[in-house]
Amino acid sequence: MRYLALTLSLILIHTFSFAQQNPSTREMDRINWMEFADFVPEKINTVLLPTGTLEPHGVVNNGADNTAPTAMAKAIATELNALIAPTLNYGITGSMAAFPGAFQITEEAYAPFIKDILKGLAKNGFKNIIILNGHGGGQTAVLQRIAGEVANELGIRTLVINWWSYASDVTLEVFKEDGGHAGLNETAYIQAIDPTLVHKEKYNADMATAYPKAGTWSAVPFPSSIGLYQEGQGYPNFNEAQAKEYFQKVNAKVAGLIKETIRKWDLAGL
């Protein structure tokens, strides 16, 4: 009995200690300000900021560019010992802005907005600000520029990741072909998050167009809500097993990049 009591006591102590090292939530808009102060920056100095936009995505939700990085942040935050900032749901949509339900924020409005958010995260004690970007095009360039400016001005460390580009090798590994905007890879990632956001019954191959090679042609609006990176490749296949595999492997690859970048920042004393 004495051994059992000692064992239970040790388990309780360990559980209490573990709870003290982990916040009740990783989401900044759900955590209490007093608990936030207990953890940031002494115990947590990394924050994940999901960014995206609203635009057409074939047969998945218009907010796929928000859904993907938000789910990714939730999947990897504990592993990275990071908090998650609220997702920035509006962005620089570009050539698909004319589609129903799309929103377009100008660079003139977006750039100072994102800069103030990054400054706010730094002010709150985060040393590592990781932007998980779900939307490319002109938005990527703005995020990279502003993140660099804030890092140099405030002496913090920033990393901008376009997950679908960084994980292009995972796309080839899992599907044996390239993907596309709202194509095979992005549709699969959303399917793994929430299958109810995928409307297979609305799909037909004519919804897809391969992106043009540089200097050949350009159309605004882009004629299709699915843009293929390679001609004849990247059409959604709605395979559940592949979707789950892809989700897990993409998250692991992105988490690995973040951990390795932070490790090397620390090693260099930056």
Side-chain angles (χ1 to χ4, degrees):
M1 285 294 292
R2 183 177 298 177
Y3 176 78
L4 178 60
L6 178 61
T7 301
L8 290 173
S9 296
L10 289 173
I11 291 173
L12 289 172
I13 291 171
H14 176 76
T15 302
F16 178 76
S17 176
F18 180 79
Q20 291 296 300
Q21 297 300 317
N22 289 273
S24 62
T25 176
R26 292 282 170 176
E27 298 174 62
M28 282 181 60
D29 57 355
R30 294 178 64 86
I31 199 169
N32 174 268
W33 67 275
M34 290 177 282
E35 186 181 9
F36 184 95
D38 288 339
F39 282 89
V40 180
E42 183 179 351
K43 298 175 183 176
I44 297 175
N45 65 0
T46 299
V47 63
L48 306 175
L49 174 62
T51 58
T53 195
L54 289 169
E55 67 175 4
H57 277 83
V59 295
V60 301
N61 58 317
N62 271 14
D65 287 347
N66 303 315
T67 303
T70 301
M72 181 179 294
K74 291 179 179 179
I76 66 178
T78 300
E79 177 184 355
L80 298 171
N81 190 30
L83 290 189
I84 305 169
T87 301
L88 300 186
N89 292 298
Y90 301 96
I92 304 173
T93 295
S95 65
M96 292 188 174
F99 279 78
F103 276 75
Q104 168 77 325
I105 306 300
T106 65
E107 181 176 339
E108 291 76 17
Y110 188 78
F113 181 61
I114 188 71
K115 188 166 191 177
D116 278 350
I117 289 172
L118 297 183
K119 285 183 174 180
L121 292 171
K123 169 184 171 292
N124 275 284
F126 293 109
K127 179 71 172 177
N128 308 311
I129 300 177
I130 314 300
I131 299 176
L132 298 177
N133 183 36
H135 175 66
Q139 182 163 304
T140 297
V142 173
L143 289 171
Q144 290 174 338
R145 175 172 61 84
I146 298 301
E149 290 177 4
V150 173
N152 289 327
E153 289 173 11
L154 302 182
I156 61 167
R157 311 182 303 192
T158 62
L159 173 64
V160 180
I161 305 171
N162 282 355
W163 69 266
W164 67 96
S165 294
Y166 181 64
S168 60
D169 60 331
V170 179
T171 300
L172 295 175
E173 176 190 348
V174 174
F175 302 108
K176 313 305 179 189
E177 60 181 277
D178 211 344
H181 167 84
L184 179 64
N185 53 333
E186 194 172 18
T187 298
Y189 197 89
I190 297 299
Q191 182 176 352
I193 298 167
D194 184 354
T196 67
L197 298 177
V198 181
H199 302 281
K200 181 179 178 180
E201 73 283 357
K202 297 181 180 296
Y203 174 74
N204 70 74
D206 281 342
M207 300 174 70
T209 297
Y211 286 120
K213 295 180 179 179
T216 58
W217 61 270
S218 176
V220 178
F222 192 72
S224 297
S225 61
I226 300 175
L228 306 177
Y229 299 147
Q230 301 287 338
E231 187 78 46
Q233 297 184 29
Y235 295 92
N237 69 2
F238 310 104
N239 184 296
E240 182 179 352
Q242 285 185 325
K244 291 179 178 178
E245 179 187 2
Y246 186 67
F247 180 79
Q248 293 170 353
K249 288 185 175 180
V250 168
N251 292 346
K253 184 176 177 66
V254 171
L257 171 64
I258 296 169
K259 287 190 286 188
E260 181 67 0
T261 302
I262 292 174
R263 186 185 73 82
K264 290 185 176 179
W265 278 333
D266 291 342
L267 186 65
L270 300 173

